[in-house]
Amino acid sequence: MSGSVATADTAFRVAEHLKRASAPWDVFGERITTHEIHFGPRGIELLRGPIVLEGYGLRLLRSRDGKIGVGYQASTDASVDGVASTLEAAESVSRYSAFPAKDVTLPTGTGTGAPRPEITDPAVWADAPRALANYTSALFAAFQNRPGIGLSFGSVKTRKTEVTMANSSGLSAGYGHTRVELEVAVKSSGGAEGAPPGEYWVTAFDRRLDATPLPRLADDWSRYASDARRAKAPPGGEHAVVLPPSVLEAILPASLGYKLSGRAELREMAPAIGSTVGAPQVTLEDDGTLPWAFGSSPLDDEGTPQRRRTLIRNGVTTELLYDALHGSALNHASTGSAFRGGFASLSSGGSSFGSAPGPSCTTLTIPGGDGGSDEELIEAAGEGIWVQQLGWASPDGLTTMFGGEIRIGYRIRHGKLAEPVRGGTLGGLVLAGPNTPSLLANVAGIGSRATLTGHVSVPTLLVRPMTLGGDEVATSAA
Amino acid sequence: MLNLRDHEAELDRALGRLGQRSKFAEILAQGSQGVVVNVDTKSHRASALPRVAGAVMRAWAGDRWVEAAASGFDQPTLDRAVDSLERELAASTSNGSPPGESSTTVGSRIQRPARPMSEMSVEQIVDLAQDYFRWTSAVPGVKNAQSSVGWWDDERFYLNTAGARCHHVAHRVRGGVVAITFENGKSEFDYTAQGGLGGAELLDAFTEQQAQDVAHSALELLHAPAPPTGTMSVLLDNGTTGTFAHESFGHGTEADQFVRDRSYLKPRLGEQLGPEALTIWDDGSVPGGWGSVAFDDEGHPGEKTMLIDHGRFVGALHDRDSAAALGAKATGNTRRSDFLSRAYVRMTNICIEPGDMSMEELLEEAGNGVVLEHWTSGMEDPLGGQMQLKVQRGHRIENGKLGGVVTSMALSGSVLSFLKDIRGIGKLNHPMEIETGFCGKGHGDYLPTGDGGPYLLSRAVVGPA
């Protein structure tokens, strides 16, 4: 796709000035152009854009006393003086860092043999304001003529990012991608029932502005907002729980991205290869090449081609995620899993260059199983809870614990969805050793069809049991 | 310091162009820099924080705001942003006036810490982080530890067409440790951190004993049982009380949500929501407070706003838009994460005033239940008024006495019920400590916010987390 070719040259311009660097280096550049529409109940409140952020992160890898001194500095100043200042800062901090690897093998080439997953929306790439306006019109139209239903708050954001990478081993590569963020609060109010208003507040991440599913989503979201008005707190205790992909997206990547990586292995916190961590039917992959996935790209952030990695097969750990640095420390090749997070002082720029790369997951996938449709999983649950949304899953990468309030869900009675529930806390471990209950170990049913949402492509899961803190006076507290 | 005023002429020129096309325009130039050092069992890493700077411009287009931003101050970069806004302004068919009052504040507040972190060498910061790490990891049984020491300077220069011109620099410092334990496939951790607006002097109070307490706590959690679940008496520790004030209550007082009819608190203004002893305020002028602001990002000085006064809900937090819509005044709470982010009504430092009950009295009043300690996260529900708080550990309360340690748990339930059910507010034997947190508005736009409070006794649903 021609639109996915980076036209910015940030990293290449910076690399021109790094000839005098005293140690191996790599530089990751981005030029990000953002457009946003923010709206409230009375329509558009704010138009933003273009918001242009261009910057780079420079990493030095200095060998010293059998270790690597890693120096990292990011900047938006790509002038000759700016690069010199950035290099000086990176050299300064590299003298005070020590990572347990003797040397690091950096990728080479131009990335021409790398996979080319579809990650660029041509309409956003070519004319983001127009694409954004058309999408927002379709969004507003989808919520028209719905008595008692309205959009109380939200935004649609598009980001066009041109990535360039270079290093001292000769890497010179680049690509482009688009990202889309939708945040919507759907409110249900009025009517004869006199109940307080209800809300379904959702955030969705995608690679493209696709208005096609909006009418169906508006139906679903309006129903959840209305059901929240009459929902009651669920009972506490152990339940069969059915978790759709949107809930698993809130739990799995943040809980497992660290635990199944070389970063955790280095600190003896990762499960051993060959150890059982899930039910026999659980297979978990990390796929950086999935079309239209938020985490897909031709190359990771060090320039290693992306691929698919099988982390857990039939409940047994088979592979972990490595970047070049952790791979070197652990005598393992990079798995193309070097990625960069955001940073607190620049939270909304959508940038990656502000932080050094480390091993992490892209899109976690679970292949479809033999559990059938959502209705069949609900029938298999018999009695239990369908969780539609958690307030915040609070996933913890160190322990893999999660726990969040049920914002909207449904009781399952006699194998059918029944009355809505809201409140109470669902939680537990995602991954644990043998004989310790966990979400992956207690998977009792896997739906037949995986759905891509955010950083997962997974089917609905039936988990039995899970613990729910609900609206009952606790006897065990006495 | 980035010396953003060095770019004043270019910013003035851009503002002048916008002023010719709009009834009101403003520019916020912002930049940040810093250093953070992380030490753990396998490595130590000094990281220079990104040197990022740029400007965001906002203009009134007759019936809505329009914005553009760029990461740079050179004339061509600023001109491109102005050009795009001029096109938006030219396309507008409305000639309305901007809502609310425009700030005319002129001021400069350059914070000068007693011992600026920027004057410490990287080596000195590494030494400090290694001390923290050593104190934590030396406790037998701790398998891994992480320490972190960092500083972060945030410089902002605001100017508008009404004449406001506010320049301020905030120096933030933060240090802390995490102790990690694991056994038979089970992992646990505990943490402590402290910091604020200031310099290295804020870290002097961080002691070896604090680090060792965290290590012992992580060890204790390995063998601790899960908490009881269900509705029960809950006693929140200081930090968890502050998190409740912020996440569960405070977000509902952000009046931009009033304007959208998206706050469960809006219809309650003026009502008695809690006991007479309950007072909650937000204050952006707390000296050294993590969330303090000399000026907000509309040019209003940071100030104290009473939210609940002796149990009565009396006030909300406003920007110029919400103040205009609701007949109030702006309260110095308009904040942007950075020049790339939009402005929202945000909290600064939100705190619950201490009461007069001792710990023994609070436990006796609780009877049976749990103490929630060491908050890790919270989530707001501005329309629904539900709460969600997560803590890393706690204790049982059994027959009015402190019982055994329990592992992490989450709190949920109705905020209004929680406020109504408050039946104990602890005393503080020291000045209010402002916790160092980061807050998002919804699912993004993180910025530093502080909170604090005493031990607080009420009733809520406890569940696993």
Side-chain angles (χ1 to χ4, degrees):
Chain A
M1 180 178 294
S2 60
S4 66
V5 176
T7 52
D9 60 353
T10 318
F12 308 145
R13 279 187 283 128
V14 173
E16 287 290 312
H17 306 305
L18 294 175
K19 303 284 191 278
R20 66 177 184 85
S22 58
W25 53 267
D26 62 12
V27 60
F28 179 88
E30 284 178 309
R31 180 182 165 85
I32 305 164
T33 306
T34 302
H35 288 83
E36 304 175 357
I37 292 180
H38 296 254
F39 51 84
R42 282 167 284 281
I44 292 172
E45 291 179 350
L46 171 66
L47 296 175
R48 306 191 76 224
I51 313 294
V52 181
L53 173 62
E54 183 169 10
Y56 60 95
L58 168 61
R59 182 172 66 162
L60 285 182
L61 300 157
R62 179 190 301 282
S63 292
R64 188 183 64 244
D65 303 329
K67 294 191 174 184
I68 301 282
V70 182
Y72 194 79
Q73 174 72 66
S75 176
T76 50
D77 188 347
S79 68
V80 175
D81 288 347
V83 173
S85 171
T86 302
L87 178 61
E88 185 182 330
E91 286 182 333
S92 169
V93 291
S94 75
R95 285 194 282 275
Y96 302 105
S97 296
F99 187 85
K102 287 190 172 62
D103 52 41
V104 179
T105 304
L106 294 172
T108 60
T110 58
T112 48
R116 290 278 165 185
E118 291 173 291
I119 50 174
T120 307
D121 181 333
V124 171
W125 190 271
D127 189 349
R130 181 186 297 272
L132 200 52
N134 290 341
Y135 181 87
T136 307
S137 295
L139 177 69
F140 289 172
F143 282 93
Q144 274 180 347
N145 302 318
R146 293 176 183 269
I149 296 291
L151 297 172
S152 59
F153 174 70
S155 62
V156 189
K157 302 176 182 177
T158 63
R159 292 204 167 96
K160 167 185 171 180
T161 302
E162 298 158 83
V163 175
T164 45
M165 286 176 269
N167 68 27
S168 53
S169 296
L171 173 76
S172 180
Y175 65 92
H177 64 87
T178 56
R179 281 185 169 148
V180 173
E181 295 176 21
L182 170 66
E183 181 175 16
V184 171
V186 180
K187 181 177 173 182
S188 168
S189 59
E193 58 193 277
E199 180 179 84
Y200 189 67
W201 180 17
V202 63
T203 303
F205 301 94
D206 208 333
R207 286 292 192 180
R208 50 187 168 171
L209 281 175
D210 181 6
T212 313
L214 285 175
R216 177 180 55 79
L217 292 172
D219 286 345
D220 291 346
W221 297 347
S222 300
R223 187 173 72 253
Y224 301 144
S226 296
D227 287 347
R229 303 180 72 187
R230 59 190 180 93
K232 300 278 192 297
E238 294 198 330
H239 296 276
V241 172
V242 182
L243 305 173
S246 58
V247 173
L248 294 167
E249 204 279 336
I251 297 171
L252 296 181
S255 298
L256 298 176
Y258 175 85
K259 200 74 172 177
L260 295 174
S261 76
R263 209 193 297 251
E265 182 188 358
L266 185 67
R267 291 156 181 86
E268 301 169 29
M269 295 182 67
I273 300 299
S275 63
T276 298
V277 293
Q281 65 270 39
V282 171
T283 289
L284 180 74
E285 296 180 330
D286 178 58
D287 189 349
T289 66
L290 209 58
W292 302 116
F294 210 67
S296 290
S297 54
L299 307 167
D300 74 358
D301 291 350
E302 286 175 333
T304 302
Q306 279 276 22
R307 65 178 175 87
R308 190 165 65 185
R309 301 152 279 257
T310 302
L311 306 175
I312 298 170
R313 180 180 289 125
N314 300 328
V316 176
T317 313
T318 52
E319 187 177 11
L320 300 176
L321 305 169
Y322 301 95
D323 62 352
L325 200 59
H326 288 81
S328 296
L330 296 160
N331 297 315
H332 200 292
S334 168
T335 54
S337 303
F339 296 100
R340 302 159 193 259
F343 39 100
S345 63
L346 198 64
S347 61
S348 58
S351 63
S352 297
F353 70 84
S355 57
S360 188
C361 57
T362 56
T363 303
L364 291 178
T365 72
I366 296 177
D370 58 5
S373 64
D374 287 352
E375 289 72 20
E376 288 171 297
L377 285 169
I378 291 164
E379 188 177 349
E383 303 293 317
I385 307 283
W386 169 284
V387 181
Q388 180 58 42
Q389 187 185 50
L390 295 174
W392 167 240
S394 310
D396 170 24
L398 288 177
T399 62
T400 79
M401 276 295 287
F402 78 98
E405 185 216 14
I406 297 176
R407 283 286 158 92
I408 186 72
Y410 296 87
R411 288 290 296 272
I412 299 171
R413 295 182 187 274
H414 311 300
K416 304 282 185 194
L417 285 187
E419 73 275 16
V421 295
R422 172 175 165 78
T425 301
L426 180 78
L429 287 167
V430 176
L431 178 147
N435 307 318
T436 303
S438 71
L439 190 157
L440 293 183
N442 291 0
V443 169
I446 300 177
S448 302
R449 190 172 60 87
T451 299
L452 173 64
T453 177
H455 286 277
V456 301
S457 176
V458 295
T460 300
L461 298 182
L462 166 61
V463 185
R464 182 163 36 208
M466 291 194 75
T467 303
L468 181 65
D471 191 19
E472 289 178 344
V473 175
T475 53
S476 57
Chain B
M1 203 166 115
L2 298 161
N3 295 316
L4 293 175
R5 293 200 84 140
D6 290 350
H7 306 289
E8 195 164 356
E10 295 93 329
L11 296 168
D12 264 330
R13 184 171 176 277
L15 186 66
R17 283 184 60 193
L18 291 172
Q20 291 172 2
R21 297 277 188 162
S22 172
K23 290 184 174 176
F24 176 81
E26 62 189 0
I27 297 180
L28 175 72
Q30 184 265 338
S32 59
Q33 62 178 5
V35 169
V36 61
V37 171
N38 294 292
V39 175
D40 73 17
T41 310
K42 293 293 180 181
S43 67
H44 58 270
R45 178 162 48 90
S47 304
L49 295 177
R51 293 174 178 173
V52 179
V56 57
M57 308 165 185
R58 182 169 81 154
W60 179 250
D63 60 352
R64 65 182 61 164
W65 294 104
V66 292
E67 287 190 5
S71 53
F73 301 107
D74 58 278
Q75 205 66 57
T77 299
L78 293 174
D79 279 347
R80 278 193 294 275
V82 174
D83 291 346
S84 71
L85 283 187
E86 283 183 336
R87 284 193 294 274
E88 293 283 352
L89 293 167
S92 174
T93 55
S94 176
N95 193 32
S97 295
E101 289 184 24
S102 304
S103 169
T104 55
T105 304
V106 176
S108 178
R109 184 89 58 85
I110 311 300
Q111 183 197 354
R112 301 194 192 286
R115 284 156 43 208
M117 289 291 289
S118 56
E119 292 178 9
M120 285 179 76
S121 68
V122 176
E123 189 173 12
Q124 287 173 306
I125 300 174
V126 169
D127 286 346
L128 200 55
Q130 284 184 327
D131 282 346
Y132 292 3
F133 171 77
R134 196 169 50 251
W135 295 341
T136 313
S137 60
V139 174
V142 171
K143 297 290 177 66
N144 197 350
Q146 299 169 1
S147 68
S148 173
V149 177
W151 61 272
W152 165 36
D153 287 353
D154 183 3
E155 180 177 0
R156 295 182 183 225
F157 180 39
Y158 171 88
L159 53 166
N160 69 23
T161 51
R165 199 153 290 237
C166 306
H167 182 221
H168 54 124
V169 181
H171 306 278
R172 287 185 172 84
V173 59
R174 196 168 190 253
V177 297
V178 179
I180 302 164
T181 54
F182 41 95
E183 188 175 283
N184 299 325
K186 184 186 181 191
S187 305
E188 286 291 352
F189 75 90
D190 202 1
Y191 77 97
T192 187
Q194 66 185 61
L197 281 177
E201 67 278 3
L202 295 179
L203 298 176
D204 291 346
F206 192 89
T207 64
E208 184 168 2
Q209 187 62 49
Q210 269 177 278
Q212 289 177 350
D213 288 347
V214 165
H216 288 299
S217 171
L219 286 165
E220 203 171 23
L221 287 172
L222 265 185
H223 302 288
T229 62
T231 305
M232 65 189 81
S233 290
V234 292
L235 182 57
L236 280 54
D237 76 358
N238 307 85
T240 311
T241 295
T243 308
F244 166 79
H246 178 105
E247 293 291 350
S248 310
F249 175 74
H251 278 292
T253 71
E254 294 167 341
D256 52 345
Q257 308 292 25
F258 282 29
V259 177
R260 299 182 186 108
D261 276 328
R262 192 177 176 244
S263 170
Y264 70 100
L265 287 172
K266 181 182 177 184
R268 305 287 183 173
L269 201 58
E271 290 185 16
Q272 190 80 18
L273 298 184
E276 184 75 13
L278 180 68
T279 292
I280 306 178
W281 44 257
D282 179 270
D283 191 351
S285 64
V286 174
W290 179 252
S292 292
V293 291
F295 310 97
D296 76 358
D297 294 330
E298 283 181 340
H300 303 107
E303 65 180 49
K304 185 172 185 175
T305 303
M306 195 62 78
L307 302 172
I308 287 187
D309 189 4
H310 294 90
R312 187 174 298 280
F313 179 35
V314 294
L317 307 175
H318 288 282
D319 62 4
R320 62 180 294 166
D321 291 55
S322 70
L326 300 167
K329 74 175 190 65
T331 55
N333 289 88
T334 309
R335 301 180 66 187
R336 297 178 189 267
S337 296
D338 46 59
F339 69 93
L340 298 161
S341 308
R342 70 163 290 184
Y344 280 113
V345 182
R346 310 294 296 267
M347 284 166 272
T348 55
N349 305 294
I350 187 168
C351 295
I352 295 182
E353 285 278 334
D356 59 3
M357 291 178 74
S358 68
M359 189 66 177
E360 291 73 21
E361 290 169 329
L362 289 165
L363 290 170
E364 188 177 341
E365 176 64 30
N368 292 298
V370 288
V371 186
L372 291 98
E373 302 162 346
H374 298 191
W375 67 275
T376 53
S377 67
M379 182 68 189
E380 78 269 33
D381 181 10
L383 181 67
Q386 292 288 113
M387 64 178 173
Q388 181 189 319
L389 303 173
K390 184 181 175 187
V391 299
Q392 187 55 24
R393 57 171 282 147
H395 280 84
R396 283 174 175 271
I397 306 172
E398 296 168 328
N399 300 317
K401 304 288 182 193
L402 196 64
V405 171
V406 293
T407 56
S408 60
M409 58 191 136
L411 202 63
S412 61
S414 155
V415 179
L416 290 174
S417 297
F418 185 94
L419 291 170
K420 183 169 63 69
D421 290 342
I422 288 173
R423 59 184 202 277
I425 302 177
K427 61 176 83 169
L428 283 180
N429 298 318
H430 48 73
M432 181 79 73
E433 289 177 0
I434 305 285
E435 298 268 332
T436 58
F438 288 90
C439 165
K441 181 90 166 184
H443 300 275
D445 293 308
Y446 288 90
L447 48 70
T449 52
D451 57 55
Y455 273 72
L456 188 68
L457 175 64
S458 187
R459 188 171 174 81
V461 178
V462 173

